[in-house]
């Protein structure tokens, strides 16, 4: 796969695509000016990161190694590739650095995806959705420079403004604004094409973060996953989040449990053109947690277990009916 040029000189998008509902295929943005190069987010495993580096070598003038990396947040699909840029400065928010210890490690992912029981819904789901990734040999490399609030830097002639917008998708989300190019790299506060997942929440905070992106008045918004959108795409995404918040709160008010509420929302055909409907289960559990239901789990593996339960049941019901 090659990089694609984005809005003016010096910006190149690495945009891996898979089937609807894929996990781990995050957009990365290469910024280059003069002999300086920066990369916003790094891929999920060694194979993808080496492919990105090879694509950059085909595109960039020789002698422009990546000197600066930005991680929009601490999820592995945005930072596991850090390990393959030795010597680079790695910038992220202080809250993302603190979040690193709560993330699922590459070793845990390797076990879950390739060694857990495929007859159990979580093992089945991990293989179905993450089976293409190989996490062996990945060392988690945390940020070397952290900030609170905002942080500006230059890549050659290109100005990059980092703005902390978390907690929303995770505790430490940041977006990268390139005012001269009219581009925002939004990380996972914005998804396109699939239902989103937001680990931290609540949905009102994700709305606030997406509104902060909109306020930057950029023409091109690069979501963490999916195609580049414009301001109208962000507005549509905000209305999705508000719809879902309303659907969840209404069922919480009626006394439904979190899993039953999510299954009921999905049975009603909630935004059926989007992939990964099981993420609605995760979002519902997180929203219930913020609504004061302390028994609703918010750890990643517990949330994945609930989503896998829905996906497994739905998959087998569909197979039986088809
Ligand atoms: Zn992601």
């Amino acid at each position: 796969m090659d990089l694609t040029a984005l809005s003016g000189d010096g910006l190149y998008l690495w945009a891996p695509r898979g089937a609807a509902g894929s996990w781990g295929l995050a957009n990365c943005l290469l910024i280059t000016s003069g002999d300086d190069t920066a990369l916003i987010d790094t891929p999920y495993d060694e194979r993808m990161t080496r492919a990105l580096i090879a694509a950059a070598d085909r595109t960039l003038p020789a002698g422009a190694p990546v000197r600066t990396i930005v991680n929009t947040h601490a999820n592995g699909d945005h930072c596991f590739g850090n390990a393959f840029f030795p010597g680079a400065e790695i910038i992220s928010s202080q809250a993302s650095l603190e979040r690193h210890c709560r993330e699922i490690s590459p070793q845990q992912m390797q076990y879950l995806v390739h060694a857990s029981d495929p007859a159990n819904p979580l093992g089945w789901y991990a293989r179905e959705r993450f089976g293409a990734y190989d996490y062996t040999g990945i060392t988690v490399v945390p940020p070397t420079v952290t900030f609170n609030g905002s942080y500006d830097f230059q890549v050659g002639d290109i100005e990059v403004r980092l703005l902390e917008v978390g907690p929303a998708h995770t505790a430490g989300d940041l977006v990268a604004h390139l005012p001269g190019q009219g581009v925002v790299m939004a990380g996972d506060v914005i998804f396109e094409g699939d239902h989103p997942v937001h680990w931290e929440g609540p949905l009102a905070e994700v709305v606030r973060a997406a509104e902060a992106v909109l306020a930057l008045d950029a023409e091109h918004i690069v979501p963490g996953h999916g195609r580049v959108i414009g301001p109208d795409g962000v507005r549509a995404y905000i209305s999705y989040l508000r719809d879902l918040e309303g659907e969840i709160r209404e069922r919480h008010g009626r006394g439904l449990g979190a899993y039953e509420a999510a299954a009921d929302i999905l049975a009603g055909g909630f935004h059926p053109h989007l992939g990964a409907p099981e993420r609605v289960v995760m979002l519902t559990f997180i929203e219930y947690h913020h609504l004061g239901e302390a028994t609703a789990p918010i750890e990643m593996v517990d949330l994945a277990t609930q989503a896998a339960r829905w996906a497994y049941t739905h998959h087998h019901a569909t197979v039986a009916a088809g």
Side-chain angles (χ1 to χ4, degrees):
M1 192 180 87
D2 276 315
L3 298 164
T4 47
L6 178 73
S7 183
D9 290 343
L11 299 193
Y12 299 93
L13 189 63
W14 169 259
R17 293 284 172 268
S22 295
W23 287 84
L25 298 173
N27 293 318
C28 304
L29 183 67
L30 198 74
I31 305 169
T32 183
S33 173
D35 62 356
D36 203 1
T37 302
L39 178 64
I40 304 188
D41 283 342
T42 59
Y44 200 17
D45 72 358
E46 178 168 1
R47 181 183 56 82
M48 280 205 295
T49 309
R50 299 239 181 258
L52 183 156
I53 292 169
D57 285 344
R58 289 193 295 274
T59 306
L60 301 185
V66 172
R67 276 217 285 257
T68 309
I69 287 170
V70 174
N71 294 140
T72 58
H73 61 291
N75 286 165
D77 56 332
H78 300 259
C79 67
F80 279 174
N82 289 1
F84 306 101
F85 298 91
E89 178 171 83
I90 302 171
I91 308 172
S92 199
S93 68
Q94 179 64 25
S96 273
L97 175 63
E98 286 158 11
R99 169 90 193 190
H100 262 287
C101 57
R102 273 184 60 192
E103 293 288 317
I104 301 177
S105 72
Q107 294 72 30
Q108 287 169 317
M109 281 304 297
Q110 188 70 18
Y111 176 82
L112 186 62
V113 174
H114 300 288
S116 66
D117 180 3
N120 139 333
L122 182 59
W124 167 81
Y125 186 79
R127 270 177 184 72
E128 284 273 314
R129 301 303 176 83
F130 295 84
Y133 302 116
D134 180 356
Y135 306 90
T136 51
I138 293 192
T139 309
V140 173
V141 179
T144 56
V145 175
T146 63
F147 69 95
N148 295 303
S150 63
Y151 184 96
D152 299 347
F153 68 101
Q154 291 279 136
V155 182
D157 297 330
I158 298 176
E159 180 185 5
V160 182
R161 296 180 179 170
L162 305 182
L163 181 68
E164 190 174 9
V165 297
H169 173 73
T170 65
D173 307 307
L174 66 84
V175 302
H177 181 208
L178 285 69
Q181 286 68 31
V183 169
V184 176
M185 179 79 172
D188 282 1
V189 298
I190 297 178
F191 278 67
E192 188 281 329
D194 289 328
H195 289 275
V197 61
H198 296 299
W199 306 104
E200 193 74 23
L203 290 166
E205 288 296 294
V206 187
V207 167
R208 185 195 46 70
E211 283 174 341
V213 170
L214 209 48
L216 296 171
D217 211 17
E219 191 180 344
H220 309 281
I221 293 108
V222 183
H225 301 262
R227 290 167 304 174
V228 178
I229 56 177
D232 283 346
V234 179
R235 287 186 198 101
Y237 180 70
I238 289 171
S239 98
Y240 165 97
L241 296 170
R242 290 205 166 114
D243 277 0
L244 181 57
E245 183 188 41
E247 298 284 342
I248 294 170
R249 283 170 178 257
E250 189 268 324
R251 286 163 180 80
H252 180 259
R254 280 199 275 135
L256 266 64
Y259 186 86
E260 289 66 32
D264 190 48
I265 291 166
L266 288 167
F270 185 75
H271 294 256
H273 60 290
L274 299 177
E278 67 278 7
R279 289 180 183 154
V280 167
V281 179
M282 300 168 140
L283 293 169
T284 304
F285 270 89
I286 294 164
E287 204 67 10
Y288 265 57
H289 176 84
H290 288 287
L291 286 166
E293 303 288 336
T295 54
I298 50 163
E299 292 305 321
M300 290 177 129
V301 171
D302 298 328
L303 292 165
T305 300
Q306 297 295 337
R309 175 185 167 198
W310 186 89
Y312 186 87
T313 307
H314 188 75
H315 174 79
H316 288 87
T318 307
V319 169

